[in-house]
Amino acid sequence: MSQRRPPDDDDDDSNAFRQALREAGVRRIAVNRADPGRPKRRDPAAAERRAAAVAADTTESASRTSDGRVEPVRPSEFLDFALPDLPYRTRSQLKRGQIAWEAGLDLHGYSLDEARLELESFLKEAVGSRMRCVLVVHGKAWGSTADYPVIKSHVNAWLREWPTVLAFCSARDSDGGTGAVYVLLRRRGVDA
């Protein structure tokens, strides 16, 4: 036995809507596919750039961090960064200093370029040694030409760009306070 649907007021509304669309000149689409338009023209300069990028050895690049605009931070500002999928518990342990750091780097006395090279080298070595957490002391000293702590501000930016950094935050007072950061690293092959 088949059941019929009772007539609905919605059918009257749908018919009235369709009638209004017809009166407004709206037509049904014949093809339900996007038209990509004409083919892209070949750009020889773009092809050369693409070939150069593919041929370049990315493992031997001079630097993995940028020198772009860096957001200045205050000397006493607490730094805090974590990838969105980092477990809350792990992040909390890092903030409380409950993850033991295995190596440290002190950037006091370095120029900006020297500090960047030292930091990059240190992080590569730490990841190569499968370290989980390291300490980076950046200090809080103001730059000679800037009115903010230059090394601290740049370390804050550089660590956010580094692919194996899962999180970092300012250290406990006993490890340097807001003049240092704990850096949680991705272990090669474990978290990748």
Side-chain angles (χ1 to χ4, degrees):
M1 178 171 161
S2 68
Q3 290 184 334
R4 292 188 78 187
R5 222 175 62 193
D8 225 331
D9 286 339
D10 287 340
D11 288 337
D12 292 336
D13 290 341
S14 297
N15 289 334
F17 179 71
R18 287 189 189 102
Q19 179 64 32
L21 289 175
R22 277 192 294 275
E23 289 173 3
V26 175
R27 293 179 287 123
R28 182 177 288 273
I29 297 175
V31 179
N32 194 13
R33 297 192 76 157
D35 180 15
R38 59 189 163 104
K40 292 181 180 178
R41 57 189 172 93
R42 302 279 180 206
D43 183 5
E48 286 177 26
R49 287 192 304 272
R50 190 175 301 112
V54 169
D57 184 9
T58 56
T59 60
E60 295 299 320
S61 68
S63 176
R64 294 199 57 121
T65 54
S66 70
D67 272 334
R69 175 154 159 53
V70 172
E71 191 70 31
V73 295
R74 294 182 317 276
S76 60
E77 186 172 339
F78 186 88
L79 300 182
D80 186 22
F81 167 82
L83 293 179
D85 57 347
L86 185 73
Y88 175 80
R89 182 176 182 203
T90 305
R91 188 172 185 181
S92 295
Q93 289 173 331
L94 184 68
K95 283 183 174 184
R96 290 192 303 261
Q98 293 176 334
I99 300 175
W101 51 277
E102 302 167 68
L105 172 68
D106 188 351
L107 296 175
H108 282 103
Y110 286 106
S111 70
L112 189 59
D113 290 333
E114 292 169 340
R116 180 165 118 184
L117 293 174
E118 284 295 318
L119 179 64
E120 290 177 355
S121 174
F122 176 70
L123 292 175
K124 285 178 189 174
E125 186 178 317
V127 169
S129 299
R130 300 181 49 80
M131 293 181 187
R132 182 68 170 161
C133 184
V134 295
L135 179 75
V136 176
V137 180
H138 47 68
K140 302 189 269 186
W142 291 29
S144 58
T145 59
D147 59 349
Y148 61 93
V150 176
I151 300 288
K152 178 177 181 173
S153 298
H154 278 78
V155 165
N156 183 39
W158 294 335
L159 289 176
R160 292 170 191 267
E161 296 174 354
W162 198 259
T164 55
V165 171
L166 297 173
F168 65 88
C169 66
S170 291
R172 293 181 324 174
D173 288 339
S174 60
D175 288 328
T178 56
V181 287
Y182 299 125
V183 182
L184 187 66
L185 298 171
R186 175 177 316 210
R187 290 186 190 155
R188 191 177 309 170
V190 175
D191 296 318

